[in-house]
Amino acid sequence: MAKVNVYITLKPALLDAQGKVMQGALDNLGFEGIENVRIGKFIEIEMAESADIEASVEDMCKKLFANPNTENYRFEIIKK
Amino acid sequence: MAKVNVYITLKPALLDAQGKVMQGALDNLGFEGIENVRIGKFIEIEMAESADIEASVEDMCKKLFANPNTENYRFEIIKK
């Protein structure tokens, strides 16, 4: 069994409205020195190990998890 | 400047409906051997370095980012 962590992030050129809301909330709560907040997705997958697991996860990101117009993805595979 | 990565995950005891939808979609797309999919949040913060940055981020998670009833959090601080 392998555990895969996928990180989906908004492309840097795009304004992260949800992140800005969080940043404003942190300011309101009195946290200082916050320069930027960006919100992405963290996807944890448990799946059978296979020789082509890396290609398979790459494919999942392309076909399902990430919007190629607005999001970047990266992942790490942790073999158990 | 420090970069902080925060990972918010649904507590293991709770059903992740969004994850189940993704798992079903992966099945429909023909991906095999998927045992479990869980969806969380990945929050990237850029902030000024300080001696108490760890306590500060812990506080942010407790007061804003994570719902203590349903979510766990962990974070890592990357000094630049």
Side-chain angles (χ1 to χ4, degrees):
Chain A
M1 186 72 64
K3 185 176 182 298
V4 182
N5 290 336
V6 181
Y7 307 88
I8 310 285
T9 52
L10 201 65
K11 286 187 177 176
L14 298 178
L15 175 75
D16 184 345
Q18 200 190 352
K20 287 292 169 213
V21 168
M22 284 288 193
Q23 192 174 346
L26 289 172
D27 282 345
N28 290 341
L29 286 169
F31 292 100
E32 288 174 2
I34 312 292
E35 298 287 335
N36 199 20
V37 178
R38 292 183 79 81
I39 316 266
K41 270 181 284 190
F42 173 52
I43 304 174
E44 295 169 291
I45 307 166
E46 284 178 346
M47 60 187 289
E49 275 193 54
S50 69
D52 60 352
I53 187 167
E54 193 150 331
S56 183
V57 175
E58 181 87 35
D59 218 25
M60 289 178 201
C61 291
K62 283 193 177 143
K63 289 186 179 163
L64 185 68
F65 296 141
N67 177 342
N69 300 310
T70 59
E71 292 171 327
N72 291 330
Y73 62 84
R74 63 187 170 82
F75 59 85
E76 58 194 357
I77 294 163
I78 302 144
K79 304 224 166 146
K80 282 184 181 171
Chain B
M1 187 71 66
K3 185 175 181 300
V4 182
N5 290 337
V6 181
Y7 307 88
I8 310 285
T9 51
L10 201 64
K11 287 188 177 174
L14 298 178
L15 175 77
D16 183 343
Q18 201 190 351
K20 287 292 168 212
V21 168
M22 283 288 192
Q23 191 174 345
L26 288 172
D27 283 344
N28 290 340
L29 287 168
F31 292 100
E32 287 173 3
I34 312 292
E35 298 287 334
N36 200 19
V37 178
R38 293 183 77 83
I39 316 266
K41 271 181 283 189
F42 173 53
I43 304 174
E44 295 169 292
I45 307 166
E46 285 177 345
M47 59 187 290
E49 275 194 54
S50 69
D52 60 353
I53 187 168
E54 195 151 328
S56 183
V57 175
E58 181 87 35
D59 217 25
M60 288 178 202
C61 291
K62 284 195 177 143
K63 290 185 177 163
L64 186 66
F65 295 141
N67 177 343
N69 300 311
T70 58
E71 292 170 327
N72 291 328
Y73 62 84
R74 62 188 171 81
F75 59 85
E76 57 195 358
I77 295 164
I78 302 145
K79 306 225 164 144
K80 283 184 179 171

